[in-house]
Amino acid sequence: MRVLVTGGAGFIGSAIVTELSERGHDVVVLDTSALPGAIDGTGALRCVGDVRDPDAVRNALTGVDAVCHQAAMVGLGKDFADAPAYVSSNDVGTAVLLAAMAECGVRDLVLAGSMVVYGEGRYECPAHGVVRPGPRAAADLEAGRFEPRCPCCGGELSPGLVGEDAPLDPRNVYATTKLAQEHLGAAWARATGGRGVALRYHNVYGPGMPRDTPYAGVASFFRSSLARGEAPRVYEDGAQRRDFVHVTDVARANAVALEAVRGRAAGAVTAFNVGSGDVRTVGEMAQVLASTCDGPAPVVTGEFRLGDVRHVTADSARLRGELGWAAEVGFVEGMAAFGAVAV
């Protein structure tokens, strides 16, 4: 199969290119980067261009059977001034790509989604069952009250695993653009008879992760601090629950989805969570990295970012059941290897 991977020179994209190439697929990469990188040696055809450029996209789609769309601006960013850049990169870029796919007759799509579309994860109140707490108030966060409360009675909640059918509640600009990408994909599928899969990644980490940028992930921030001999600074109380999934497992999920998408129903995009199934806290992750790097112990700061959610962890049963995928890299093993890589 000939597959176009947009953003294929990036962190997740390059891992996908490697996985597809090792499986014998013919890979085309569309990326703004012309620099040598992780995809060199894979045999992939590199097309330098922006996914927002219709001519570049049409050129890259020549002879392509399926598209794996990874190109995106990621992370929470610095402030709301980033909003136009996020919308342009993520939503305009996706619209240009899908329009070109419609024109060129490419009908198979795997889209990089994100768990951020859920907002908070799944919570259960002993008195009111499953509930959806609203955004946390700044006053509560400033007072160190980090746990969401039941919107009905104000009682304590138990966090659980969030499934793909949970209500969607994006709470920052990046999350909003990721949900819009899914909606654009669904509209494309209905209009063209296309088939699509949206893989909602949970917290992806591993080799090649961006660093020293406000758009990088928390694991990268911690590792960079340790490389400088500084303690990782953990926000809130460090008890935020996340699902950390290794980039090689994410790459394999994309390959499995691409190989299965042609057999799925036309006219729809189906969402799948991509998580390890191993719930950990941000504080635990910082401790493992600090131990691996033989660095200073993490410092829990009590600081917060208003756009962050407290707990969001994946139920990946749909991906296991329908596509036969399961994570293979364990948390301690993966974080230890990640922390040991020079930065």
Side-chain angles (χ1 to χ4, degrees):
M1 180 167 56
R2 187 174 177 88
V3 181
L4 170 62
V5 181
T6 68
F11 166 45
I12 298 174
S14 61
I16 294 169
V17 171
T18 298
E19 179 72 20
L20 291 173
S21 298
E22 290 177 351
R23 288 172 175 249
H25 297 294
D26 184 13
V27 183
V28 180
V29 170
L30 177 63
D31 199 286
T32 56
S33 173
L35 298 174
I39 64 171
D40 291 345
T42 62
L45 173 64
R46 185 194 292 261
C47 299
V48 178
D50 195 306
V51 75
R52 292 167 291 187
D53 179 349
D55 291 333
V57 174
R58 282 192 291 266
N59 178 61
L61 282 170
T62 302
V64 161
D65 301 302
V67 172
C68 184
H69 183 33
Q70 304 295 313
M73 184 174 177
V74 300
L76 276 180
K78 293 175 287 186
D79 52 42
F80 199 80
D82 284 330
Y86 273 105
V87 172
S88 177
S89 296
N90 298 357
D91 298 340
V92 174
T94 299
V96 170
L97 171 67
L98 294 172
M101 290 174 64
E103 178 184 336
C104 296
V106 180
R107 296 292 180 263
D108 294 336
L109 171 70
V110 172
L111 171 68
S114 174
M115 55 87 176
V116 294
V117 299
Y118 297 117
E120 287 284 356
R122 184 182 188 276
Y123 292 88
E124 190 165 351
C125 171
H128 297 98
V130 176
V131 295
R132 295 285 296 175
R136 296 178 293 171
D140 286 335
L141 297 171
E142 289 166 357
R145 295 188 294 268
F146 301 121
E147 292 293 340
R149 310 293 287 191
C150 176
C152 302
C153 66
E156 293 184 4
L157 299 174
S158 298
L161 303 182
V162 63
E164 293 88 350
D165 295 330
L168 304 180
D169 184 17
R171 295 188 177 181
N172 55 59
V173 171
Y174 171 63
T176 302
T177 65
K178 295 306 290 184
L179 181 54
Q181 284 185 309
E182 289 195 26
H183 288 322
L184 286 166
W188 161 83
R190 287 192 296 270
T192 66
R195 299 165 289 251
V197 167
L199 297 176
R200 292 176 179 165
Y201 305 155
H202 283 248
N203 291 74
V204 186
Y205 73 97
M209 196 173 188
R211 61 187 182 91
D212 300 329
T213 163
Y215 307 98
V218 65
S220 182
F221 291 146
F222 289 167
R223 190 180 66 170
S224 293
S225 295
L226 290 161
R228 297 191 298 267
E230 301 170 0
R233 295 179 60 83
V234 180
Y235 281 8
E236 300 186 17
D237 58 0
Q240 309 94 305
R241 291 158 53 103
R242 296 291 187 269
D243 185 323
F244 299 99
V245 58
H246 197 270
V247 67
T248 58
D249 283 327
V250 171
R252 195 163 41 81
N254 275 271
V256 168
L258 282 161
E259 291 166 354
V261 69
R262 186 152 296 183
R264 301 192 66 82
V269 173
T270 305
F272 293 90
N273 285 329
V274 183
S276 68
D278 186 2
V279 176
R280 300 284 180 153
T281 68
V282 174
E284 282 182 275
M285 185 260 286
Q287 289 169 358
V288 170
L289 287 178
S291 176
T292 297
C293 298
D294 197 23
V299 174
V300 177
T301 68
E303 297 173 299
F304 63 89
R305 297 188 300 185
L306 200 56
D308 282 348
V309 298
R310 180 61 174 174
H311 305 297
V312 57
T313 52
D315 181 351
S316 299
R318 178 182 291 178
L319 188 56
R320 291 193 301 270
E322 294 191 23
L323 300 186
W325 174 92
E328 295 179 351
V329 180
F331 173 79
V332 174
E333 166 200 356
M335 282 294 173
F338 176 65
V341 174
V343 296

